[in-house]
Amino acid sequence: MKVSLLLLVALIAIASVTANKYPSKYDDVDVERILQNGRVLTNYIKCMLDEGPCTNEGRELKKTLPDALSSGCSKCNEKQKVTAEKVITHLRTKRPRDWDRLTAKYDPNGEYKKNFQNTEAAKKT
């Protein structure tokens, strides 16, 4: 399965790309609350798919996501990696249609999938 896009919403905690690590500016965003609020989560997904407006966090995520995918989240701190796994699991199990749409946009050839094969979320599928 395409695991690469699993970082999509999880990286909401990331503000922008820096030389060595992503900033921790959004690390304290309550991602669990976002995942449990269908309206808010849908708005983030629409932002990522260019189907709706973006919050500041959503805009930063859209800028950061390509680098995070291509680098296997190597610039993510531990909290960002844990958050990514939480989001990955949620999208794949609770919002599979959205997951498929996001994957089609951000990893249409499955080239980033190998970067995330060893995540806990990937092991569950």
Side-chain angles (χ1 to χ4, degrees), residues 7 11 14 17 22 63-76 112 115-116:
L7 288 177
L11 293 176
I14 298 173
V17 178
Y22 299 120
K63 285 191 254 179
T64 304
L65 185 60
D67 180 71
L69 289 173
S70 67
S71 71
C73 207
S74 65
K75 296 178 185 177
C76 296
Y112 303 127
N115 293 333
F116 306 102

Side-chain angles (χ1 to χ4, degrees), residues 1-5 69 100-114 117:
M1 290 191 95
K2 297 179 182 177
V3 181
S4 62
L5 209 19
L69 289 173
D100 291 343
R101 292 175 66 218
L102 291 165
T103 302
K105 177 175 179 161
Y106 289 95
D107 192 19
N109 299 318
E111 63 186 283
Y112 303 127
K113 179 181 178 180
K114 63 185 172 293
Q117 291 289 339

Side-chain angles (χ1 to χ4, degrees), residues 7-20:
L7 288 177
L8 180 61
V9 179
L11 293 176
I12 291 170
I14 298 173
S16 64
V17 178
T18 60
N20 297 319

Side-chain angles (χ1 to χ4, degrees), residues 4-117:
S4 62
L5 209 19
L6 298 174
L7 288 177
L8 180 61
V9 179
L11 293 176
I12 291 170
I14 298 173
S16 64
V17 178
T18 60
N20 297 319
K21 292 287 181 186
Y22 299 120
S24 59
K25 179 178 180 180
Y26 295 111
D27 281 6
D28 292 326
V29 168
D30 189 350
V31 173
E32 189 63 41
R33 187 172 179 192
I34 292 169
L35 294 175
Q36 298 308 316
N37 185 324
R39 182 185 57 79
V40 173
L41 181 55
T42 296
N43 288 340
Y44 275 104
I45 292 168
K46 285 182 177 181
C47 164
M48 298 307 298
L49 293 171
D50 299 317
E51 296 174 355
C54 296
T55 62
N56 290 336
E57 295 90 351
R59 277 189 293 281
E60 292 299 328
L61 175 58
K62 280 176 67 169
K63 285 191 254 179
T64 304
L65 185 60
D67 180 71
L69 289 173
S70 67
S71 71
C73 207
S74 65
K75 296 178 185 177
C76 296
N77 65 34
E78 282 306 309
K79 182 162 185 163
Q80 292 161 349
K81 289 178 183 179
V82 168
T83 300
E85 293 231 2
K86 186 180 292 187
V87 172
I88 288 166
T89 300
H90 184 86
L91 288 175
R92 292 184 76 204
T93 60
K94 306 288 187 195
R95 307 272 304 243
R97 290 180 62 190
D98 290 325
W99 170 255
D100 291 343
R101 292 175 66 218
L102 291 165
T103 302
K105 177 175 179 161
Y106 289 95
D107 192 19
N109 299 318
E111 63 186 283
Y112 303 127
K113 179 181 178 180
K114 63 185 172 293
N115 293 333
F116 306 102
Q117 291 289 339

